Amino acid sequence: MSKLFSKENGEVFTNPLNINNPIAVQVLGICSALAVTSQLKPAIVMGLSVTVITAFSNVIISLLRKTIPNRIRIIVQLVVVAALVTIVSNILKAYVYDVSVQLSVYVGLIITNCILMGRLEAFAMQNGPWESFLDGVGNGLGYAIILVVVGFVRELLGFGSVFGFQIIPDSWLLENGGLYMHNGMMTMPAMALILLACVIWVHRAYNKDIE
Amino acid sequence: MAKLNTNGNAYTIIYAAVIVVIVAFLLAFVASALKPTQDDNVAIDKKQQILSSLNIRGVEKSAVDATYKSVIVNDAIYGTDPTTPTNNGEAKDQAGFKVEGKNITPDNRPFYVAEVDGAKKYVIPVTGAGLWGGLWGYVALNEDCETVYGTYFSHESETAGLGARITEQWFQDSFQGKKLYAEGNEDVVLSVVKKGKEGSMSPDNYVNGVTGATLTSNGVNDMIQEDLKSYQDILKAQKK
């Protein structure tokens, strides 16, 4: 047991949450980070989906790593990822239909998320299943954290709500005689890019050694 | 265990084939196991949309089916003959309900008859194009075949916060009580117009578009006018 939760394994899990964050440091997978973060709920579902898929594809590839022919390893990785993504997308459609409508094509596009292929090629091909599982969960959550932060700010400023609950009362709005207006820009993908840059900025300010 | 040569041609080909077959079986299994639940979700979503156009909103998911069946009397399909439907539509979600928006043609027109608080309503499905992608919706008319009872609109990919606001209730409710036709005229004139561009139109015949989403609003306008026009013969036959 002590080996399962050793210090190295702990780092495998915590590094991607902070000093080796896939979005903030490696700047991978940002296209989906822009597209699904206009509200908190799809951002969380997307974060969890990516976490599940990275973790399990890491485990599968790690189990297979000694048998995979070197010449077709990328294809095998892709097949495993694509199969898992298709399964997750089917499950979402069956059990959380309204969220799957909101995420639309982006679930399918997890296949092309650079974080996945990056982790498979860089980590799972060299390490055991347990380490790979931790690495996958860590990277998925590292991705999810950033999505949640961006989603929170965009939903709050763009719609005046958090998780669909109205935070900013309607009576504040200009059209109801108040002095406040929702920032429509926040609902556009472009603002996610700017917010993402702010997140990276703050992150680097606290971790000077990254540069 | 003898060390396998994982780089040989034969090994590579067999490996790829086995992986593909396993994955294919797995996916086929998952897809067919979840298909009924997914189809149910799609059907419930569509029923919710039709109920919304009849101003019955916020129905619990589990109650949608029962509510739909108590409200909808018939989901007829009309061909080119506007007087008699090509089916009897007794099950309420087996005939016109099964026609997808993209399959609506002049000889395949779903037409819902509903009863709300004892009054007859007609629900007409409409489809069109917005700024970025498709639009669709349902327009419910009163028994006079002229006054709008309620509407529902949705979209594929309109701009969030602008065009996407056509899904909000205030916009859909603004159609209530509007008339399809101008006084003494038989052309469908119900329009979505920009604030200040109403001209000499009667306030009964237009609603204001969504501010900042002129192209989406125009899409809704065209969708309503064109699709209601193609149902005019059925409406006339119903009136008699």
Side-chain angles (χ1 to χ4, degrees), chain A residues 2-182:
Chain A
S2 62
K3 194 168 168 268
L4 280 186
F5 295 101
S6 64
K7 190 156 174 282
E8 291 86 70
N9 282 351
E11 273 170 13
V12 163
F13 177 72
T14 52
N15 273 357
L17 295 182
N18 186 15
I19 56 166
N20 202 12
N21 188 287
I23 295 187
V25 180
Q26 300 170 24
V27 198
L28 289 178
I30 61 164
C31 46
S32 56
L34 306 186
V36 299
T37 51
S38 68
Q39 275 158 321
L40 209 45
K41 195 174 169 193
I44 289 176
V45 173
M46 185 71 174
L48 288 180
S49 308
V50 169
T51 308
V52 170
I53 292 169
T54 341
F56 286 100
S57 57
N58 255 3
V59 170
I60 294 172
I61 289 298
S62 168
L63 288 171
L64 296 175
R65 71 185 188 281
K66 289 189 179 128
T67 67
I68 296 175
N70 201 30
R71 275 180 292 173
I72 58 165
R73 66 179 194 283
I74 301 278
I75 299 173
V76 173
Q77 290 165 8
L78 208 57
V79 167
V80 169
V81 173
L84 281 171
V85 167
T86 313
I87 291 172
V88 166
S89 135
N90 269 310
I91 291 175
L92 288 181
K93 258 187 222 151
Y95 297 109
V96 270
Y97 182 75
D98 45 337
V99 177
S100 83
V101 169
Q102 244 177 337
L103 292 175
S104 62
V105 297
Y106 296 105
V107 173
L109 286 179
I110 295 177
I111 298 173
T112 59
N113 193 318
C114 327
I115 297 173
L116 272 108
M117 294 298 282
R119 291 332 289 168
L120 293 178
E121 183 70 7
F123 197 91
M125 288 298 281
Q126 284 92 40
N127 292 282
W130 172 244
E131 289 86 352
S132 301
F133 179 75
L134 288 178
D135 178 78
V137 174
N139 274 284
L141 290 180
Y143 170 82
I145 292 173
I146 308 285
L147 252 64
V148 167
V149 170
V150 176
F152 175 79
V153 177
R154 285 181 72 189
E155 187 173 348
L156 183 63
L157 298 182
F159 299 95
S161 61
V162 169
F163 240 115
F165 293 109
Q166 204 69 32
I167 297 290
I168 291 168
D170 276 343
S171 57
W172 286 19
L173 295 179
L174 269 184
E175 56 221 62
N176 300 328
L179 291 168
Y180 185 81
M181 209 175 154
H182 293 312

Side-chain angles (χ1 to χ4, degrees), chain B residues 31-47:
Chain B
S32 53
L34 294 176
K35 186 95 170 81
T37 339
Q38 293 174 355
D39 288 348
D40 278 358
N41 282 333
V42 174
I44 285 179
D45 192 44
K46 187 168 179 180
K47 284 175 184 170

Side-chain angles (χ1 to χ4, degrees), chain B residues 169-186:
Chain B
Q169 201 182 336
W170 63 267
F171 177 71
Q172 297 171 5
D173 282 354
S174 67
F175 282 87
Q176 283 175 16
K178 302 291 175 186
K179 299 231 186 297
L180 295 194
Y181 313 116
E183 197 73 26
N185 202 320
E186 290 212 325

Side-chain angles (χ1 to χ4, degrees), chain B residues 46 77-78 96 98-110 125 127 231:
Chain B
K46 187 168 179 180
I77 299 179
Y78 282 89
K98 297 241 158 160
V99 179
E100 283 177 48
K102 59 175 190 255
N103 295 332
I104 299 176
T105 54
D107 52 7
N108 191 22
R109 294 176 290 176
T127 55
Y231 273 82

